[in-house]
Amino acid sequence: MLLKHSSGSARTWLLLVLGFAGIAGVTVLLLALLTNIFERRQEARQPFLRVVEVTEETMDPRPWGQNWPHQYDSYLKTGLPTSTKYGGRGPGASDAGPAEQKLDRDPWLKRIFAGYAFALDYRDRRGHAFALFDQEQTKRVTERNQPGACLHCHASNLALYRHAGKGDVTKGFEVISGMPYPDARNMKNESGQPLIQHPVSCVDCHDPKTMGVRVTRPGFVAGIKALKARQGVADYDPNRDASRQEMRSFVCGQCHVEYYFKGPGKVVTYPWANGLRVEEIEAYYDAEGFSDWVHAETGNKVLKAQHPEFEVWSQGVHARAGVACADCHMPYQRVGALKVSDHWVRSPLLNVNRACQTCHAVPEAELQGRVLTIQDRHQALLQRAAKATTDMLDAIVAAKKAGVPEAELQAAAALHRKAQWRLDFVAAENSMGFHAPQEMARILGETIDFARQGQLEATRAARRR
């Protein structure tokens, strides 16, 4: 009996000890959880700590990175090679070397750019880290004279503009635009330090005091003001009047746009006074009497499109749904308790989970398949439009060789300008049709129509000889 009683007491004590240990363990876990919650709440209350002071003169992104390390770490990734089926650096490009040459992949580009700098060198796009380097290395700059206007989008340039304008950024922008590129690129401050040292950087999109998103490019400020005036909104200032969601597209639209260098001063101008559609921009250029160059094969005055992502995106379903550029190319990510925008600006196809599936509850493979279907169809139509355009060039060249006077080729020349402008507008846009598939198909359809009409006009003129 005594043995049984001792054994029962031991079991009771063991259970009590195990119970207390379990309670203690649970208490420790709860305390750890509460501590973690408290720490995360503190992180959320203070999303960043200013280790160093940054100002309007801080063009170097590294000091910003001390205050905002998560954003800076992802910004550095824009220097990494990435590629998709229709974009990026492409096969064979080394980390230190240039991106793939578009002229080798699509020889028709040399034909449509005959006599222009883009027939010398036209490469695939790379990340923001290469924006200034690639501009300095391209033959379009090293073998042709270019103005300081080129620095408007390829460099962190506010200090340069402020210096040239004696404190006035807009005035400095106008001064720099008309300078020879080497003079503008190598301008120094009073201390002898180069004013241009970095590609697009933090200060170009963020207010250093508040970190609010902002527009800094004078060309965009003037362009969007003209566009809004057309829409009945007077004296529009994006930094004052735009919503935060609009600004998350406007900061991209500062540079990913169509533009031209206006007048002897080569002032960077966004041709939006009539609207953003391809024919509205064309009408603006026609009214201005502007042409980029005279085509070397045909002798016709033609236009060169730049990279009209903002204009094309504006015609697409995502823009109509209120989706901003940053939602897809810089999606939010969680870092602890922080909600951080990913500054590795890249194709959403490389980040489908956060870029697409936030809105689309569809398997990743299906989303990728949808995109590639759009892009494959677009690429096929683009190549057909290019073939129609080069056939038109052949017909015009043949007519000129047959002795057809220019007066009889005016109709063909006008159609050449229209067809080439539309083909280039589409080819220069960097989404391979995805930003606005229906709009891009419409433009390519018009390209083929105008090109075939131009081919017929030239062929008929030659037969009349």
Side-chain angles (χ1 to χ4, degrees), residues 18 26 79 108 114 120 128 139 148 151 166 178 223 236 272 281 298 307 327 358 368 406 435 455 461:
L18 291 174
V26 171
W108 55 265
L120 298 174
H128 285 168
K139 292 180 181 179
L151 292 168
K166 295 180 170 46
Y236 184 82
W272 296 346
I281 297 173
T298 66
H307 26 65
D327 289 326
T358 300
Q368 288 182 326
E406 287 189 14
H435 283 155
Q455 180 184 1

Side-chain angles (χ1 to χ4, degrees), residues 223-224 226-231 258 270-285 310-312 314-315 421 425:
I224 200 74
L227 176 63
K228 290 295 184 179
R230 174 76 172 184
Q231 298 168 352
E258 163 61 9
Y270 296 6
W272 296 346
N274 295 329
L276 299 176
R277 293 162 71 92
V278 65
E279 62 270 22
E280 293 168 337
I281 297 173
E282 179 185 45
Y284 171 90
Y285 285 140
F310 181 78
E311 291 89 344
V312 172
S314 296
Q315 311 306 316
W421 163 242
F425 192 89

